[in-house]
Amino acid sequence: MKNKWKILCALVLAAAALAGVSAFLSTDRREVWGHTDGLTDEEILQQLEELETEDFKLDVEKALAEGENSEISRLWIHTLFQRVDEYTDDEIIENFLASPKGSLIPYIWMELYESRYPDMDHNDPRLLAWLQDPQNSPGVKASLLYTIGFQTEEEISVLQELTKDADEGLRLNAMRRLELAKPAGALDEAWQIVENYQNGGDNRIHGAIDTIAQQLADSATARNSHWQREKEKLMAVCQQILEQEPSQTLKDAVVYDMQLLGDWDALQMIVDSPDVDQIMKKAIIDNNYFLLEEALLAPEPQAEDIRFAVDCMKILPIQDLHDPLKAALAAQPQAFSADEAEDLPALLDSMLEEGVEAKTWLKEDR
């Protein structure tokens, strides 16, 4: 009888132990987060891949909530992207909307939405409303602009309102996104902003100049009379900014946009301006060296063009322009007085010895 009792007790204990192991394994399968001690990355990934869909979603939710700054949470994010098809659009959007402010989590859900609609051709009223909420992060808004589509009149209207936002970065990104969504409308709005600026100011001027400069750069192969008029209008407001605007950031933006044009007049305006520092002048010379090369290699180089090229080489000597400048000086010896010409040999030497190499690929991309 004693032996039977011992056997019965043993069976009961064994059954209890097995039940405990079974419960642990079941729990382990349902929830990986928090049960990773001693596991390799590969083992964790395997367990995540084996979770049922609903269990996986709960595990991801917990991992993002508790381990945003944890190195190990990258494994959940990696698997999330692998299993994105198990989420509906509504679930992705709701997770984005519920993301804590000031965290990186909303960017994860944005990327998931973008991976589903890479052509930026989908939108949702909830996301549109989120963009209009002034309490939401301008940085996240700027990223969301390049995730969703702007096609309907209502969507374009929201985008246009964002071009007036108090945050400069968001304004600029809204202008650029408007240019992608509705190029003609963006250009018309940009010129209107330029006119408003000249008549008393408009804080959207940075984005407007960027939009117009990019459009002119993209159509530079034409360079017809219309293109020239548009360029001159843009240069006029840029000149005003350089002379009157206290913001150095805006002045630097003007220089950047002028260099996009690949235009002699724009180059000369920046180099001759007393309101542009030497660093920015070097940048525009460096990126537009081919204009100087073309002028120097002309069948009959003009004296004023040679003089301007010399001024540029004093600011930024370029090795590749040594021979063209030397040949142009020989062809037009009257370009400089005898006194001025005394300094030219030293300048030519500095171009060879200290000059930078030309960015030849810029010429090829024209």
Side-chain angles (χ1 to χ4, degrees):
M1 191 69 178
K2 268 186 192 177
N3 288 336
K4 285 184 180 179
W5 178 252
K6 287 181 179 177
I7 292 171
L8 181 60
C9 288
L11 288 172
V12 169
L13 290 172
L18 285 171
V21 170
S22 176
F24 173 77
L25 290 174
S26 176
T27 301
D28 193 47
R29 289 192 196 104
R30 287 198 308 270
E31 185 175 284
V32 179
W33 182 259
H35 301 278
T36 58
D37 288 348
L39 297 179
T40 65
D41 286 359
E42 290 73 18
E43 289 170 332
I44 295 172
L45 288 170
Q46 182 177 349
Q47 289 195 18
L48 287 172
E49 290 165 4
E50 291 171 354
L51 285 176
E52 295 294 332
T53 297
E54 290 309 312
D55 290 341
F56 174 70
K57 290 177 181 178
L58 290 172
D59 220 55
V60 166
E61 183 180 335
K62 193 169 184 181
L64 292 180
E66 298 178 5
E68 181 190 354
N69 299 315
S70 169
E71 174 67 18
I72 199 172
S73 65
R74 76 189 191 285
L75 301 176
W76 276 256
I77 297 171
H78 170 81
T79 311
L80 176 57
F81 277 86
Q82 298 296 314
R83 298 182 63 168
V84 65
D85 290 341
E86 297 174 42
Y87 285 80
T88 65
D89 283 2
D90 278 346
E91 286 175 317
I92 293 175
I93 291 169
E94 288 301 327
N95 276 301
F96 167 78
L97 297 175
S99 298
K101 293 183 178 180
S103 76
L104 297 177
I105 294 175
Y107 294 98
I108 295 171
W109 296 108
M110 263 194 289
E111 284 192 43
L112 288 165
Y113 194 80
E114 182 182 2
S115 71
R116 183 165 290 179
Y117 302 112
D119 295 330
M120 297 187 296
D121 55 357
H122 279 67
N123 206 321
D124 184 279
R126 290 166 292 181
L127 296 176
L128 213 56
W130 191 92
L131 280 172
Q132 297 173 81
D133 187 340
Q135 300 301 315
N136 292 327
S137 162
V140 181
K141 285 182 180 181
S143 294
L144 186 59
L145 294 181
Y146 296 95
T147 303
I148 58 180
F150 292 92
Q151 298 168 312
T152 69
E153 193 172 313
E154 180 188 5
E155 291 164 357
I156 294 295
S157 175
V158 170
L159 193 52
Q160 288 172 326
E161 282 303 308
L162 291 175
T163 67
K164 307 171 187 176
D165 195 84
D167 184 83
E168 183 178 6
L170 180 55
R171 287 199 308 270
L172 184 59
N173 277 285
M175 281 296 301
R176 289 172 177 167
R177 186 65 181 90
L178 183 61
E179 186 180 354
L180 291 173
K182 194 177 179 183
L187 195 59
D188 290 342
E189 183 153 352
W191 278 118
Q192 185 177 350
I193 291 169
V194 166
E195 290 176 8
N196 290 343
Y197 179 83
Q198 290 177 306
N199 294 330
D202 191 314
N203 63 5
R204 297 174 292 166
I205 190 64
H206 182 179
I209 289 175
D210 190 64
T211 295
I212 296 169
Q214 191 61 64
Q215 187 274 335
L216 287 173
D218 292 343
S219 59
T221 50
R223 294 189 185 271
N224 51 27
S225 57
H226 174 73
W227 191 93
Q228 292 293 338
R229 286 195 300 273
E230 298 281 276
K231 179 199 75 175
E232 288 167 7
K233 284 165 58 180
L234 180 62
M235 286 179 59
V237 72
C238 288
Q239 185 72 57
Q240 180 182 344
I241 289 170
L242 291 175
E243 293 174 354
Q244 302 175 9
E245 180 61 50
S247 169
Q248 189 60 47
T249 300
L250 185 52
K251 288 184 177 183
D252 291 347
V254 163
V255 176
Y256 172 78
D257 287 325
M258 287 293 97
Q259 75 179 358
L260 289 178
L261 301 184
D263 179 80
W264 181 273
D265 294 335
L267 172 63
Q268 197 160 23
M269 182 186 82
I270 297 301
V271 172
D272 290 345
S273 174
D275 301 297
V276 177
D277 63 38
Q278 292 294 96
I279 293 176
M280 297 306 293
K281 288 182 180 182
K282 286 181 179 181
I284 196 169
I285 293 168
D286 196 21
N287 291 320
N288 284 271
Y289 88 94
F290 50 83
L291 297 173
L292 300 171
E293 184 180 58
E294 290 170 3
L296 295 172
L297 293 177
E300 295 182 8
Q302 301 299 304
E304 61 268 25
D305 293 347
I306 299 173
R307 293 182 67 89
F308 178 65
V310 166
D311 289 340
C312 289
M313 292 304 95
K314 289 178 180 177
I315 297 170
L316 180 72
I318 299 176
Q319 293 176 7
D320 302 60
L321 293 183
H322 172 273
D323 291 350
L325 179 57
K326 186 175 182 180
L329 289 169
Q332 290 278 17
Q334 73 279 11
F336 293 90
S337 68
D339 289 343
E340 292 172 325
E342 289 181 359
D343 297 329
L344 295 177
L347 175 64
L348 289 168
D349 288 344
S350 72
M351 291 170 67
L352 279 181
E353 296 168 5
E354 304 168 17
V356 300
E357 294 183 4
K359 296 178 177 177
T360 54
W361 62 89
L362 294 174
K363 179 171 61 175
E364 295 164 1
D365 290 342
R366 292 188 75 195

Coordinates of all heavy atoms in Angstrom, one line a residue, residues 56-57 60 64 80-99 105-117 122 124 126-127 130 144 147-148:
F56 N 1.9 38.3 -31.5 CA 3.0 39.1 -32.0 C 2.7 40.6 -31.8 O 3.6 41.4 -31.4 CB 3.3 38.8 -33.5 CG 4.3 39.7 -34.1 CD1 5.7 39.6 -33.7 CD2 4.0 40.6 -35.0 CE1 6.6 40.5 -34.3 CE2 4.9 41.5 -35.6 CZ 6.2 41.4 -35.2
K57 N 1.5 41.0 -32.2 CA 1.2 42.4 -32.1 C 1.2 42.9 -30.7 O 1.7 44.0 -30.4 CB -0.2 42.7 -32.7 CG -0.3 42.5 -34.2 CD -1.7 42.6 -34.7 CE -1.8 42.4 -36.2 NZ -3.2 42.5 -36.7
V60 N 4.9 43.3 -29.7 CA 5.5 44.5 -30.3 C 5.0 45.7 -29.5 O 5.9 46.6 -29.2 CB 5.1 44.6 -31.8 CG1 5.4 46.1 -32.3 CG2 5.8 43.6 -32.7
L64 N 7.8 48.2 -27.7 CA 7.9 49.6 -28.1 C 7.6 50.5 -26.9 O 8.2 51.5 -26.7 CB 7.0 49.9 -29.2 CG 7.3 49.3 -30.6 CD1 6.3 49.8 -31.7 CD2 8.7 49.7 -31.0
L80 N 8.9 43.4 -37.1 CA 7.7 44.2 -37.4 C 7.7 44.5 -38.9 O 6.6 44.4 -39.5 CB 7.7 45.5 -36.5 CG 6.5 46.5 -36.8 CD1 5.2 45.8 -36.6 CD2 6.7 47.7 -35.9
F81 N 8.8 44.9 -39.4 CA 8.8 45.3 -40.8 C 8.7 44.0 -41.7 O 8.1 44.0 -42.8 CB 10.1 46.0 -41.2 CG 10.1 47.5 -40.9 CD1 10.4 48.0 -39.7 CD2 9.7 48.3 -41.9 CE1 10.3 49.3 -39.4 CE2 9.7 49.7 -41.7 CZ 10.0 50.2 -40.4
Q82 N 9.2 42.9 -41.2 CA 9.0 41.6 -41.9 C 7.6 41.1 -41.9 O 7.2 40.5 -42.9 CB 9.9 40.5 -41.2 CG 11.4 40.8 -41.3 CD 12.0 40.9 -42.7 OE1 11.7 40.0 -43.5 NE2 12.8 41.9 -42.9
R83 N 6.8 41.5 -40.9 CA 5.5 41.0 -40.8 C 4.4 42.1 -40.9 O 3.3 42.0 -40.5 CB 5.3 40.3 -39.4 CG 6.2 39.1 -39.2 CD 6.0 38.4 -37.8 NE 4.6 37.9 -37.7 CZ 4.3 37.0 -36.7 NH1 5.2 36.6 -35.8 NH2 3.1 36.6 -36.6
V84 N 4.8 43.2 -41.6 CA 3.9 44.3 -41.8 C 2.6 44.0 -42.5 O 1.6 44.6 -42.2 CB 4.6 45.5 -42.5 CG1 5.0 45.0 -44.0 CG2 3.8 46.7 -42.5
D85 N 2.6 43.0 -43.3 CA 1.4 42.6 -44.0 C 0.3 42.0 -43.1 O -0.8 41.9 -43.5 CB 1.7 41.5 -45.1 CG 2.5 42.1 -46.3 OD1 2.5 43.4 -46.4 OD2 3.1 41.4 -47.0
E86 N 0.7 41.7 -41.9 CA -0.3 41.2 -40.9 C -1.0 42.3 -40.2 O -1.9 42.1 -39.4 CB 0.4 40.3 -39.9 CG 1.1 39.1 -40.5 CD 1.9 38.3 -39.5 OE1 1.4 38.1 -38.3 OE2 3.0 37.8 -39.8
Y87 N -0.6 43.6 -40.5 CA -1.3 44.7 -40.0 C -2.2 45.4 -41.1 O -1.9 45.4 -42.2 CB -0.3 45.8 -39.5 CG 0.4 45.5 -38.3 CD1 1.5 44.6 -38.2 CD2 0.0 46.1 -37.1 CE1 2.1 44.3 -37.0 CE2 0.7 45.8 -35.9 CZ 1.7 44.9 -35.9 OH 2.4 44.6 -34.7
T88 N -3.4 45.8 -40.6 CA -4.3 46.6 -41.6 C -3.8 48.0 -41.6 O -3.1 48.5 -40.7 CB -5.7 46.5 -41.1 OG1 -5.8 47.2 -39.8 CG2 -6.2 45.1 -40.9
D89 N -4.3 48.8 -42.6 CA -4.0 50.2 -42.6 C -4.5 50.9 -41.4 O -3.8 51.8 -40.8 CB -4.6 50.8 -43.9 CG -3.9 50.6 -45.1 OD1 -2.9 49.8 -45.1 OD2 -4.3 51.1 -46.2
D90 N -5.7 50.5 -40.9 CA -6.2 51.1 -39.7 C -5.3 50.9 -38.5 O -5.1 51.8 -37.7 CB -7.6 50.6 -39.4 CG -8.7 51.2 -40.3 OD1 -8.4 52.3 -40.8 OD2 -9.8 50.7 -40.3
E91 N -4.8 49.7 -38.4 CA -3.9 49.4 -37.2 C -2.6 50.3 -37.3 O -2.2 50.8 -36.3 CB -3.6 47.9 -37.2 CG -4.7 47.1 -36.8 CD -4.4 45.6 -36.9 OE1 -3.8 45.2 -37.9 OE2 -4.7 44.8 -36.0
I92 N -2.0 50.4 -38.5 CA -0.8 51.2 -38.6 C -1.1 52.6 -38.3 O -0.4 53.3 -37.5 CB -0.3 51.1 -40.0 CG1 0.2 49.6 -40.3 CG2 0.9 52.1 -40.3 CD1 0.7 49.4 -41.7
I93 N -2.2 53.2 -38.8 CA -2.6 54.6 -38.5 C -2.9 54.8 -37.1 O -2.4 55.8 -36.4 CB -3.8 55.0 -39.4 CG1 -3.3 55.0 -40.9 CG2 -4.3 56.4 -39.0 CD1 -4.5 55.2 -41.9
E94 N -3.6 53.9 -36.5 CA -4.0 54.1 -35.0 C -2.7 54.0 -34.2 O -2.6 54.7 -33.2 CB -5.0 53.0 -34.6 CG -6.4 53.2 -35.2 CD -7.0 54.6 -34.8 OE1 -6.7 55.1 -33.7 OE2 -7.7 55.2 -35.6
N95 N -1.8 53.1 -34.5 CA -0.6 53.0 -33.7 C 0.3 54.3 -33.9 O 0.9 54.7 -32.9 CB 0.3 51.8 -34.2 CG -0.2 50.5 -33.5 OD1 -0.1 50.4 -32.3 ND2 -0.6 49.5 -34.3
F96 N 0.3 54.8 -35.1 CA 1.0 56.1 -35.3 C 0.3 57.2 -34.4 O 1.0 58.0 -33.7 CB 0.9 56.5 -36.8 CG 1.3 57.9 -37.0 CD1 2.7 58.3 -37.0 CD2 0.4 58.9 -37.2 CE1 3.1 59.6 -37.2 CE2 0.8 60.3 -37.4 CZ 2.1 60.6 -37.4
L97 N -1.0 57.3 -34.5 CA -1.7 58.4 -33.7 C -1.5 58.2 -32.2 O -1.5 59.2 -31.5 CB -3.2 58.4 -34.1 CG -3.5 58.7 -35.6 CD1 -5.0 58.5 -35.8 CD2 -3.1 60.1 -35.9
A98 N -1.4 57.0 -31.8 CA -1.2 56.7 -30.3 C 0.2 56.8 -29.9 O 0.5 56.6 -28.7 CB -1.8 55.3 -30.0
S99 N 1.2 57.0 -30.7 CA 2.6 57.1 -30.4 C 2.8 58.2 -29.4 O 2.3 59.3 -29.6 CB 3.5 57.2 -31.6 OG 3.3 56.1 -32.5
I105 N 9.0 56.5 -31.9 CA 8.0 55.5 -32.3 C 7.1 55.9 -33.5 O 6.9 55.1 -34.4 CB 7.1 55.0 -31.1 CG1 8.0 54.3 -30.1 CG2 6.0 54.1 -31.6 CD1 7.3 54.0 -28.8
P106 N 6.6 57.2 -33.6 CA 5.8 57.5 -34.8 C 6.5 57.3 -36.1 O 5.9 57.0 -37.1 CB 5.4 59.0 -34.5 CG 6.4 59.5 -33.5 CD 6.7 58.3 -32.6
Y107 N 7.8 57.5 -36.1 CA 8.6 57.4 -37.3 C 8.6 55.9 -37.8 O 8.6 55.6 -39.0 CB 10.0 57.8 -37.1 CG 10.2 59.3 -36.9 CD1 10.3 59.8 -35.6 CD2 10.2 60.2 -37.9 CE1 10.4 61.2 -35.3 CE2 10.3 61.6 -37.7 CZ 10.4 62.0 -36.4 OH 10.5 63.4 -36.2
I108 N 8.5 55.0 -36.8 CA 8.5 53.6 -37.2 C 7.2 53.3 -37.9 O 7.2 52.6 -39.0 CB 8.6 52.7 -35.9 CG1 9.9 52.9 -35.3 CG2 8.3 51.2 -36.3 CD1 10.1 52.2 -33.9
W109 N 6.1 53.7 -37.4 CA 4.8 53.5 -38.0 C 4.6 54.2 -39.4 O 4.0 53.7 -40.3 CB 3.6 53.8 -37.1 CG 3.6 53.0 -35.9 CD1 4.0 53.3 -34.6 CD2 3.3 51.6 -35.8 NE1 3.9 52.3 -33.7 CE2 3.5 51.2 -34.5 CE3 2.9 50.6 -36.7 CZ2 3.3 49.9 -34.0 CZ3 2.7 49.3 -36.3 CH2 2.8 49.0 -35.0
M110 N 5.3 55.4 -39.5 CA 5.3 56.1 -40.7 C 6.0 55.3 -41.8 O 5.6 55.2 -43.0 CB 6.0 57.5 -40.6 CG 5.0 58.6 -40.4 SD 5.8 60.2 -40.5 CE 6.9 60.3 -39.1
E111 N 7.2 54.8 -41.4 CA 7.9 54.0 -42.4 C 7.2 52.7 -42.8 O 7.3 52.3 -44.0 CB 9.3 53.6 -41.8 CG 10.3 54.7 -41.7 CD 11.7 54.2 -41.4 OE1 12.1 53.2 -41.9 OE2 12.4 54.9 -40.6
L112 N 6.4 52.1 -41.9 CA 5.6 51.0 -42.3 C 4.5 51.4 -43.3 O 4.3 50.6 -44.2 CB 5.0 50.4 -41.0 CG 6.0 49.6 -40.1 CD1 5.3 49.4 -38.7 CD2 6.4 48.3 -40.7
Y113 N 3.9 52.5 -43.0 CA 2.9 53.0 -44.0 C 3.5 53.3 -45.3 O 3.0 53.0 -46.4 CB 2.2 54.2 -43.4 CG 0.9 54.6 -44.1 CD1 -0.2 54.0 -43.8 CD2 0.9 55.6 -45.0 CE1 -1.4 54.3 -44.4 CE2 -0.3 56.0 -45.6 CZ -1.5 55.4 -45.3 OH -2.6 55.7 -45.9
E114 N 4.7 53.9 -45.3 CA 5.4 54.2 -46.5 C 5.8 53.0 -47.3 O 5.8 52.9 -48.5 CB 6.6 55.1 -46.2 CG 7.4 55.5 -47.5 CD 8.6 56.3 -47.1 OE1 8.9 56.5 -45.9 OE2 9.3 56.8 -48.1
S115 N 6.2 51.9 -46.6 CA 6.6 50.7 -47.2 C 5.4 50.0 -48.0 O 5.6 49.3 -48.9 CB 7.2 49.7 -46.2 OG 6.1 49.2 -45.4
R116 N 4.2 50.3 -47.5 CA 3.0 49.8 -48.1 C 2.6 50.7 -49.3 O 2.1 50.2 -50.3 CB 1.9 49.8 -47.1 CG 0.6 49.2 -47.6 CD -0.3 48.8 -46.5 NE 0.2 47.6 -45.7 CZ -0.4 47.1 -44.7 NH1 -1.6 47.6 -44.2 NH2 0.1 46.1 -44.1
Y117 N 2.8 52.0 -49.2 CA 2.5 52.9 -50.3 C 3.7 53.8 -50.7 O 3.7 55.0 -50.4 CB 1.3 53.8 -49.9 CG 0.1 53.0 -49.5 CD1 -0.4 52.9 -48.1 CD2 -0.7 52.2 -50.4 CE1 -1.5 52.2 -47.8 CE2 -1.8 51.5 -50.0 CZ -2.2 51.5 -48.7 OH -3.3 50.8 -48.4
H122 N -1.5 57.6 -51.1 CA -2.6 57.3 -50.2 C -2.6 58.3 -49.0 O -1.6 58.8 -48.6 CB -2.5 55.9 -49.6 CG -3.0 54.8 -50.5 ND1 -2.4 54.5 -51.7 CD2 -4.1 54.0 -50.4 CE1 -3.0 53.5 -52.3 NE2 -4.1 53.2 -51.5
D124 N -5.4 59.6 -45.5 CA -6.4 59.2 -44.6 C -6.9 60.5 -43.8 O -6.1 61.3 -43.4 CB -5.9 58.1 -43.6 CG -7.0 57.6 -42.7 OD1 -7.3 58.3 -41.7 OD2 -7.6 56.5 -43.0
R126 N -7.7 60.9 -40.9 CA -7.1 61.0 -39.5 C -5.7 61.6 -39.6 O -5.3 62.4 -38.7 CB -7.1 59.6 -38.9 CG -8.5 59.1 -38.5 CD -8.4 57.6 -38.2 NE -8.1 56.8 -39.4 CZ -8.1 55.5 -39.4 NH1 -8.2 54.8 -38.2 NH2 -7.8 54.8 -40.5
L127 N -5.0 61.2 -40.6 CA -3.6 61.7 -40.8 C -3.7 63.2 -41.2 O -2.9 64.0 -40.8 CB -2.9 60.9 -41.8 CG -2.6 59.4 -41.5 CD1 -1.9 58.7 -42.6 CD2 -1.8 59.4 -40.2
W130 N -4.4 65.1 -38.2 CA -3.2 65.2 -37.3 C -2.2 66.2 -37.8 O -1.6 66.9 -37.0 CB -2.5 63.8 -37.3 CG -1.4 63.6 -36.3 CD1 -1.6 63.1 -35.0 CD2 -0.1 63.9 -36.4 NE1 -0.4 63.1 -34.4 CE2 0.6 63.6 -35.2 CE3 0.7 64.5 -37.5 CZ2 1.9 63.8 -35.0 CZ3 2.1 64.7 -37.2 CH2 2.7 64.4 -36.0
L144 N 6.0 63.2 -42.2 CA 4.7 62.6 -42.7 C 4.3 63.2 -44.0 O 3.6 62.5 -44.8 CB 3.6 62.9 -41.7 CG 2.2 62.3 -41.9 CD1 2.3 60.8 -42.0 CD2 1.2 62.7 -40.8
T147 N 5.2 60.8 -46.7 CA 4.7 59.5 -46.5 C 3.3 59.3 -47.1 O 3.0 58.3 -47.6 CB 4.6 59.2 -45.0 OG1 5.9 59.3 -44.4 CG2 4.1 57.7 -44.7
I148 N 2.5 60.4 -47.1 CA 1.1 60.3 -47.6 C 1.0 61.1 -48.8 O 1.8 61.9 -49.2 CB 0.2 60.8 -46.5 CG1 0.5 62.2 -46.1 CG2 0.2 59.9 -45.3 CD1 -0.5 62.8 -45.0

